[in-house]
Amino acid sequence: MDISSVGVVGAGQMGNGIAHVFALAGYHVILTDVNEAALTNAIALIDRNIERQVTRGKVSAEDKAAAMSRIKTTLVLAEVGPCDLIIEAATERETVKQAIFEDLLPHLKPHTILTSNTSSISITRLASRTDRPEKFMGFHFMNPVPVMQLVELIRGIATDQETWDAMHAVVRKLGKTAASAEDFPAFIVNRILMPMINEAVYTLYEGVGSVKSIDESLKLGANHPMGPLELADFIGLDTCLAIMNVLHDGLADTKYRPCPLLTKYVEAGWLGRKTQRGFYDYRGETPVPTR
Ligand code: NAD
C-alpha cells in the first residue's frame, strides 16, 4: 500500500511530534486542531525541535526546510479526510475521538487507513463506529515522539493483515521499532507504566514520601531516567487519570483505582508541564515540588 499523505488530528504534544517525524521521513502532513493557538504553537515547536537536530548535525538545513514545507495546518477537519493515512492524536476522551471519526467518514478515500494514538481506549470499539473496522488500528507513539524509539501497533478484532503490514512498513520508514499489542485496556506500555505512576501518587497521598524523595528514590534506586511524578507531569495528569479510568473500568479490578490525589490535581487544572503546574511548579527557572 503506497502511503504518501498523512493527516494528524490534534496538534498537542503528541500531534506535533508525530507531524515532525513524518515530515522528516518524507510524508506530506496535514495537521488539524480545534484550537488555532495549538496549530501555531505546534509549527513553532516543530521548527525549534528540528533546528536542534540541525545543530547536532543529525539533520541538514536542506532537509529541515523540505520537512517544514511538507507540513500544512488547517482548522477544517474535513481537509485531512483524503489523506492515505489518518492518525488521530486528540484529547484522551472516547467521546472526542468518536466524534472525530464520525465527522471524518464522509470525506475519506476508500483506501484511507484510520489510526488512533490513544494510550488506552478500545481500538475495536472506536473502529466499530466507522465504515472500515478492517482498516482501523492503534498506532501508539511514545512521548517525545522524535526521541522515543518504540511504536506500539494495536490490532483491533477486525484489523486486517494488510493494514497491520502497511503500518509496520511506515514504522520502519520512520526508523522506529514496532511492538505488537493486542487490544486490551492500555495495551502493553501503559498497562505496566501507569499503575506504577498511580502507585507513586498513592505513596505521596499517604505521606510515605515527598515529591522529591519519591522521584529521587526511583531515579537513584531503580535507575529510572525520570522519577514517576516528574514523568506523570511530562505525560499530562489528565491523560494519566484517563488511562487509569480505562484500566479500572475495562479490567474491573480495584488495584487500578485512580488515586484521589491524582483526581484532585486534574480538578485543579494542574495537569503537569503543559499547564506549568502539576506535581512540580514549572513557572520559575527550576521546577519546585508542589507538595
Ligand atoms: P494534549 O492535551 O497535549 O493535546 C490534545 C490536542 O487535541 C489539543 O491541542 C486539543 O486542542 C486537541 N483536540 C481536542 N479535541 C479535538 C478535536 N475534536 N479535533 C481536533 N483536535 C482536538 O494531549 P497529548 O498528550 O498530545 O495526547 C493526545 C493523544 O495521545 C491522547 O490520546 C493520549 O492518550 C495519547 N498519548 C499521549 C502520550 C503522552 O505522553 N502525553 C503518549 C502517547 C500517547
Side-chain angles (χ1 to χ4, degrees):
M1 196 174 294
D2 198 19
I3 291 171
S4 63
S5 56
V6 179
V8 180
V9 184
Q13 45 183 354
M14 294 309 291
N16 85 63
I18 292 168
H20 170 153
V21 297
F22 274 84
L24 265 185
Y27 295 95
H28 290 275
V29 177
I30 311 182
L31 183 59
T32 184
D33 201 290
V34 284
N35 178 355
E36 193 161 12
L39 291 173
T40 317
N41 292 340
I43 292 299
L45 202 59
I46 295 168
D47 192 283
R48 219 164 45 236
N49 288 341
I50 304 185
E51 187 57 38
R52 201 173 302 138
Q53 292 174 292
V54 173
T55 309
R56 289 193 191 133
K58 293 191 169 161
V59 172
S60 70
E62 297 73 49
D63 285 349
K64 178 195 166 193
M68 293 307 298
S69 76
R70 283 192 285 268
I71 306 176
K72 305 273 174 277
T73 61
T74 177
L75 283 165
V76 182
L77 179 69
E79 286 179 19
V80 310
C83 289
D84 302 321
L85 165 64
I86 295 178
I87 306 169
E88 173 279 312
T91 310
E92 185 74 345
R93 203 172 309 132
E94 189 159 345
T95 48
V96 169
K97 295 182 185 295
Q98 268 171 1
I100 289 170
F101 288 118
E102 268 166 29
D103 292 347
L104 273 172
L105 287 186
H107 309 286
L108 303 178
K109 287 207 169 138
H111 70 272
T112 302
I113 292 178
L114 294 177
T115 66
S116 174
N117 184 48
T118 178
S119 302
S120 61
I121 296 167
S122 167
I123 297 303
T124 302
R125 205 162 55 231
L126 288 174
S128 72
R129 307 279 293 252
T130 72
D131 61 352
R132 60 194 69 204
E134 69 290 346
K135 287 191 186 306
F136 192 111
M137 61 185 283
F139 206 21
H140 185 218
F141 288 84
M142 308 294 133
N143 186 19
V145 183
V147 175
M148 300 295 279
Q149 186 61 26
L150 185 76
V151 184
E152 257 180 311
L153 292 181
I154 303 118
R155 205 190 286 269
I157 245 176
T159 308
D160 65 20
Q161 191 61 37
E162 194 188 357
T163 301
W164 195 95
D165 290 344
M167 290 307 95
H168 194 206
V170 169
V171 172
R172 279 200 302 262
K173 188 166 168 192
L174 295 176
K176 296 193 180 291
T177 305
S180 188
E182 292 301 319
D183 183 25
F184 290 99
F187 324 123
I188 296 174
V189 173
N190 283 309
R191 171 79 177 263
I192 298 167
L193 178 65
M194 222 28 92
M196 185 203 68
I197 287 177
N198 194 47
E199 200 60 29
V201 186
Y202 268 113
T203 312
L204 178 67
Y205 176 64
E206 291 168 9
V208 181
S210 64
V211 169
K212 186 166 180 282
S213 62
I214 292 166
D215 276 351
E216 266 183 9
S217 296
L218 271 288
K219 277 196 282 194
L220 304 179
N223 238 3
H224 289 192
M226 283 172 108
L229 300 172
E230 194 185 355
L231 178 58
D233 275 358
F234 187 68
I235 294 168
L237 302 190
D238 53 339
T239 301
C240 294
L241 178 61
I243 297 169
M244 284 313 298
N245 279 323
V246 168
L247 281 166
H248 194 217
D249 296 345
L251 298 168
D253 190 326
T254 54
K255 76 177 176 184
Y256 297 115
R257 70 191 197 288
C259 179
L261 185 60
L262 179 60
T263 306
K264 192 68 71 194
Y265 270 83
V266 174
E267 283 171 353
W270 291 15
L271 307 181
R273 279 185 177 271
K274 64 184 166 187
T275 57
Q276 297 217 296
R277 253 188 300 188
F279 292 112
Y280 293 85
D281 186 332
Y282 299 92
R283 291 172 299 170
E285 281 213 341
T286 49
V288 179
T290 52
R291 283 181 93 79

